[in-house]
Amino acid sequence: MYFSLRMIASVSPAMNSSSFLLTGFSGLEQQYPWLSIPFSTIYAMVLLGNCMVLHVIRTEPSLHQPMFYFLAMLALTDLCMGLSTVHTVLGILWGLSQEVSLDACIAQSYFIHGLSFMESSVLLAMAFDRYVAICHPLRYSSILTNDKVMKIGVAILCRSTLLIPPVIIRLKFLNYCRPHILSHSFCLHQDLLRLACSDIRFNSYYALMLVICTLLLDAVLILFSYVLILKSVLAIASQEEQHKSLQTCISHICAVLVFYIPIISLTMVHRFGKHLSPMVHVLMGNIYILFPPLMNPIIYSVKTQQIRSRILRVFFVKIY
């Protein structure tokens, strides 16, 4: 409590408009050295896990298939998400710095939201891949050629990077007259809007449109693809074939849940949890940022036999 009051007292509206204070875990400042251990471990696992998946897919010719190309896109997105927040989260826990400039904050916000949209788009592309593989297996290789996969990848990149700048750039020109204290260990668009005294209607409406046209639309299309997949699988006479077809979707379903559940939870906390402890907001924010990049390599390593066997070969090749 003392630390929080001290922060509020020291960060006034007259503070340099180019500086903001990241909250971190308010009230647990004495435990930061201990908290840094699990967070450092998580970030190390995020970086090593996703790099391992990328290495295995790149070096194993048998994995040069559309399904694994999309998995590589997912791993690269998760890797970038970890890299975009590691310096502020661990910087706070290691006692290096809690202050961030407006330009750096805007840049981090751009990468966090852009990578979230990119992950949603990749998951949609992976759902399309599973739909084609199960519902049109004989046409799979002709529909998802390397050229088509590359075009999908470029479309995902353009969609995730070109739609966000109008709302992010405008953050630079807002007047931040409230205390410059952010509620997370990293910068989010809605967190900066909360501190602004300017007209934020454009940012609010545009951001809502982006969420509807990306995250919500992708979720609906993913759900629709699985309705079609389930319909196709149930039409198969053999139960063994049904089980085998559904097994190929388990990893992707887990990745979708790992991505969307934290986003929905964080949205609900921000919308209806204003009475909750700030610690809950910070915790949900970190889960939203770190849970998918941490879990996706584990999910695909455990559930995908080709990835699992290649990773084991990398680790134990020296033994043999």
Side-chain angles (χ1 to χ4, degrees):
M1 175 65 73
Y2 168 74
F3 181 82
S4 300
L5 292 174
R6 190 180 66 180
M7 280 204 309
I8 294 172
S10 63
V11 186
S12 67
M15 178 184 175
N16 185 347
S17 64
S18 64
S19 299
F20 291 84
L21 202 65
L22 297 168
T23 301
F25 295 89
S26 182
L28 295 178
E29 290 76 24
Q30 299 300 321
Q31 281 72 46
Y32 276 5
W34 295 107
L35 284 174
S36 68
I37 297 174
F39 273 89
S40 299
T41 303
I42 289 171
Y43 272 106
M45 291 175 66
V46 166
L47 300 181
L48 292 176
N50 287 289
C51 283
M52 178 62 69
V53 171
L54 288 169
H55 172 74
V56 167
I57 294 174
R58 185 182 69 85
T59 57
E60 182 55 53
S62 65
L63 299 182
H64 294 175
Q65 304 171 28
M67 173 184 174
F68 296 105
Y69 290 147
F70 290 130
L71 177 56
M73 294 180 197
L74 184 67
L76 183 60
T77 303
D78 286 337
L79 179 63
C80 291
M81 181 65 87
L83 292 174
S84 69
T85 58
V86 62
H87 62 290
T88 54
V89 175
L90 294 187
I92 291 172
L93 295 178
W94 289 347
L96 301 177
S97 176
Q98 282 189 264
E99 192 172 317
V100 62
S101 69
L102 176 60
D103 290 339
C105 198
I106 291 173
Q108 186 180 53
S109 175
Y110 172 79
F111 282 110
I112 289 175
H113 294 296
L115 290 167
S116 293
F117 293 156
M118 188 176 293
E119 181 141 355
S120 176
S121 301
V122 172
L123 290 172
L124 176 59
M126 296 173 83
F128 177 67
D129 170 80
R130 290 299 84 209
Y131 164 75
V132 175
I134 293 173
C135 299
H136 304 283
L138 298 180
R139 298 173 54 200
Y140 181 80
S141 58
S142 61
I143 294 176
L144 283 173
T145 61
N146 288 343
D147 184 55
K148 294 274 182 63
V149 172
M150 184 176 296
K151 288 179 180 178
I152 291 173
V154 172
I156 290 172
L157 183 63
C158 292
R159 183 196 193 207
S160 305
T161 57
L162 300 181
L163 293 177
I164 301 180
V167 73
I168 294 295
I169 291 174
R170 196 167 185 277
L171 291 173
K172 175 72 174 176
F173 304 101
L174 295 179
N175 178 31
Y176 300 98
C177 62
R178 296 186 175 92
H180 293 186
I181 303 174
L182 300 172
S183 58
H184 293 285
S185 308
F186 40 80
C187 298
L188 296 175
H189 171 260
Q190 60 267 33
D191 218 8
L192 283 170
L193 287 187
R194 184 176 55 83
L195 307 182
C197 297
S198 309
D199 185 354
I200 61 171
R201 284 177 296 178
F202 172 79
N203 284 67
S204 299
Y205 293 144
Y206 191 94
L208 179 61
M209 183 201 71
L210 277 180
V211 170
I212 293 173
C213 295
T214 53
L215 299 179
L216 183 59
L217 178 62
D218 291 350
V220 171
L221 292 175
I222 289 171
L223 180 61
F224 181 65
S225 72
Y226 272 103
V227 170
L228 296 178
I229 288 171
L230 188 60
K231 181 180 177 181
S232 178
V233 169
L234 292 177
I236 300 174
S238 170
Q239 285 192 347
E240 183 179 346
E241 287 299 319
Q242 288 181 356
H243 183 264
K244 184 178 179 181
S245 297
L246 289 175
Q247 276 293 108
T248 64
C249 300
I250 295 298
S251 298
H252 179 253
I253 292 173
C254 291
V256 169
L257 293 176
V258 157
F259 176 71
Y260 278 101
I261 289 176
I263 284 184
I264 294 171
S265 301
L266 182 63
T267 302
M268 296 297 285
V269 165
H270 275 292
R271 178 66 182 84
F272 303 108
K274 293 180 174 60
H275 62 285
L276 296 175
S277 165
M279 184 63 63
V280 175
H281 292 258
V282 174
L283 182 61
M284 291 306 304
N286 280 280
I287 290 174
Y288 156 67
I289 291 293
L290 290 173
F291 195 58
L294 174 66
M295 292 305 300
N296 284 335
I298 297 173
I299 290 169
Y300 278 93
S301 298
V302 172
K303 291 293 184 179
T304 307
Q305 190 273 333
Q306 299 98 316
I307 296 290
R308 183 174 65 251
S309 61
R310 268 61 179 190
I311 289 178
L312 290 174
R313 184 188 302 175
V314 169
F315 276 111
F316 297 110
V317 67
K318 294 184 179 180
I319 297 177
Y320 299 100

